[in-house]
Amino acid sequence: MPETMSNQLPDVAERFMRYVQVDSQSNPENDTVTPSTPAQHEMARYLGEELKALGCTDVTVDEHAYVTGTFAASKGAESAPALMLCSHLDSVIDAPASGIKPHVVYYEGGDLVAGVVNGKTIATTQEQVPDLKDFVGMDIICSDGSTLLSADDKAGVAEICALLKRLGDNPELAHPTLKIAFVPDEEIGHGASLLDLEKLGAAYGYTVDGEALGEFNYECFNAAHADVYFKGVMVHPGSAKDVMVNAITVASEFQQMVPAFERPEHTEGYEGFYHPIAIEGSASEVKLSYIVRDHDSQIFANRQQVLQDIAAFLNKRYGENTVRVEIHQEYRNMAEKFDGYEFLIDYALEANREVGIEPKPVAARGGTDGAQLTFRGLPCPNIATGGYNAHSVREFIPVPSLKVTVDLLEKLVAKFATRG
């Protein structure tokens, strides 16, 4: 396992730099197994030992790489309902994530250079991330530019563990019983799906995931995955006239009929989208995969129907069963489930302000483990970690952002110490 990087860094940054060096990338091509990669077992075992060292009891690392533990309440808060804190331990497949080499850059302005890879400078400009101007004079953690950093979501893991360290060292700090959960395969849609909520025993909780400080999510997309299958009719091309149906051609027509202005690269805020993410096959058979997203449940349903309608149109043109659409539901907009739990939102907004951050409630253009947990009966909005450029080799996180998130979590958990 990695050794401590530097005695000069705050505890949370030292932890973060250790954790990112443990490979734990998930793999959507192996999504019938949880975890989808053996590396996540190693990360889970490592975090299980971390929780034990931090004073947690009932620490469990199960066969699916779910890590759970209990941190005892402060004196006088034993009767308060237990609060869960959750982060995911996997890294995304969108960029290389093995052999991460984090390093600290003292940022003096201009481009933030992560490293040089094959003679190419890997940098983030202030035009790309306007918040960079606020980080002049700060230490910023980057990868070497050849991999992502894995702040999504090992920053969240480190911030939770650093909170436990602080609470253990300062028993006068108020907090209820804390239920800790680190879950695998969030990046491929599994996340907290196998977390045993009855055994965990929390009344409600927060995920610690996401990006810029102050961003707070209690709304998210409704999400589905659509696989579209195209069946061609193959004959010798020399005698193909009026007989051949080329599956590649039909797939291309299908994609051209999906509204072009409703793709991720043309949408923002509450605007949903259709996003083609993979294609494979030949002139005989093609599989085209989409993710479908929208915050509004009715528009979300309409989007799914659009795909079915395009398939029906093409089947009339090319013959029945030429195109087949299979839609798999992934998660729902958790905003539907916070009636009676508005205090979870209020407490988070207050905690942000108490550490000097003006909160920005944002409808997440994605999903968190909290969406799944909320629909399973454990209301769970999301706290940001302070990272930027997630899923990219340009990913970075300022060291002060890591520390202030721990401060925020300290303020947040104190609010639950006297809740009946």
Side-chain angles (χ1 to χ4, degrees):
M1 292 298 172
E3 297 179 356
T4 299
M5 295 295 298
S6 170
N7 292 326
Q8 307 305 310
L9 292 171
D11 175 66
V12 63
E14 181 274 324
R15 290 179 184 279
F16 173 68
M17 293 181 77
R18 282 193 286 121
Y19 298 164
V20 300
Q21 292 180 80
V22 184
D23 292 353
S24 60
Q25 196 171 37
S26 50
N27 180 6
E29 298 302 317
N30 194 36
D31 64 355
T32 59
V33 179
T34 305
S36 60
T37 54
Q40 291 181 79
H41 281 297
E42 182 179 359
M43 185 71 200
R45 287 191 291 268
Y46 188 41
L47 292 178
E49 293 304 313
E50 291 283 281
L51 290 186
K52 290 176 185 176
L54 289 165
C56 287
T57 59
D58 302 323
V59 175
T60 300
V61 180
D62 74 10
E63 68 273 22
H64 297 295
Y66 285 76
V67 184
T68 56
T70 301
F71 192 83
S74 59
K75 187 175 180 180
E78 295 88 351
S79 62
L83 175 70
M84 183 199 67
L85 297 175
C86 176
S87 290
H88 64 88
L89 57 81
D90 64 314
S91 301
V92 76
I93 201 171
D94 294 358
S98 181
I100 294 172
K101 299 178 179 65
H103 67 115
V104 177
V105 175
Y106 179 74
Y107 181 59
E108 299 181 276
D111 293 352
L112 173 63
V113 177
V116 179
V117 180
N118 298 323
K120 180 181 179 181
T121 299
I122 307 300
T124 299
T125 68
Q126 289 192 8
E127 290 71 30
Q128 292 168 328
V129 179
D131 285 358
L132 265 179
K133 67 181 184 299
D134 300 325
F135 304 143
V136 174
M138 295 185 185
D139 285 335
I140 297 178
I141 303 175
C142 308
S143 75
D144 64 359
S146 65
T147 68
L148 52 73
L149 180 62
S150 197
D152 180 12
D153 185 29
K154 289 178 183 173
V157 173
E159 288 156 353
I160 291 172
C161 287
L163 171 70
L164 299 182
K165 171 66 173 171
R166 183 181 295 182
L167 296 178
D169 288 346
N170 301 276
E172 73 281 3
L173 295 175
H175 59 89
T177 300
L178 299 177
K179 298 291 185 174
I180 309 302
F182 299 135
V183 303
D185 282 340
E186 188 270 354
E187 297 291 2
I188 63 171
H190 284 302
S193 60
L194 297 180
L195 188 62
D196 188 334
L197 299 187
E198 184 176 354
K199 181 179 178 183
L200 187 70
Y204 27 67
Y206 294 90
T207 52
V208 186
D209 197 356
E211 298 195 72
L213 286 182
E215 290 188 0
F216 175 66
N217 315 118
Y218 59 91
E219 299 178 84
C220 65
F221 274 142
N222 295 290
H225 178 101
D227 291 319
V228 188
Y229 297 90
F230 303 86
K231 182 71 173 177
V233 176
M234 284 295 96
V235 296
H236 191 285
S239 54
K241 184 176 173 61
D242 298 328
V243 177
M244 177 185 288
V245 176
N246 189 314
I248 296 173
T249 300
V250 182
S252 176
E253 288 186 33
F254 187 99
Q255 167 60 8
Q256 293 306 309
M257 295 175 75
V258 174
F261 54 90
E262 296 182 16
R263 297 173 185 162
E265 57 267 39
H266 305 307
T267 61
E268 62 182 354
Y270 282 92
E271 297 169 337
F273 57 74
Y274 307 87
H275 180 30
I277 57 172
I279 186 168
E280 58 182 286
S282 64
S284 180
E285 294 183 345
V286 169
K287 176 184 176 183
L288 178 55
S289 297
Y290 291 84
I291 59 174
V292 182
R293 303 288 189 262
D294 210 286
H295 291 95
D296 183 280
S297 59
Q298 185 56 58
I299 298 174
F300 177 60
N302 292 345
R303 289 187 182 281
Q304 296 171 70
Q305 187 60 48
V306 164
L307 298 182
Q308 298 286 7
D309 291 346
I310 295 171
F313 175 84
L314 292 173
N315 280 331
K316 287 181 181 178
R317 174 181 289 181
Y318 292 109
E320 199 61 34
N321 299 320
T322 300
V323 185
R324 175 170 55 89
V325 179
E326 291 185 1
I327 296 177
H328 312 277
Q329 303 302 318
E330 294 184 315
Y331 55 84
R332 297 276 301 280
N333 186 348
M334 59 185 170
E336 299 177 25
K337 297 293 185 178
F338 280 107
D339 286 350
Y341 292 95
E342 291 85 357
F343 64 88
L344 293 171
I345 298 167
D346 295 339
Y347 286 175
L349 299 179
E350 291 169 9
N352 272 274
R353 294 188 179 103
E354 288 168 7
V355 296
I357 300 169
E358 185 54 38
K360 295 173 285 188
V362 175
R365 290 180 60 79
T368 70
D369 289 311
Q372 233 176 45
L373 290 165
T374 298
F375 271 85
R376 292 181 59 200
L378 198 159
C380 192
N382 182 59
I383 301 289
T385 64
Y388 288 83
N389 290 346
H391 298 199
S392 163
V393 295
R394 293 173 174 81
E395 187 180 17
F396 69 88
I397 189 166
V399 170
S401 296
L402 286 164
K403 185 176 181 301
V404 78
T405 302
V406 182
D407 298 339
L408 187 158
L409 291 174
E410 177 193 328
K411 298 290 187 183
L412 182 61
V413 300
K415 298 178 185 300
F416 290 86
T418 56
R419 189 167 185 87

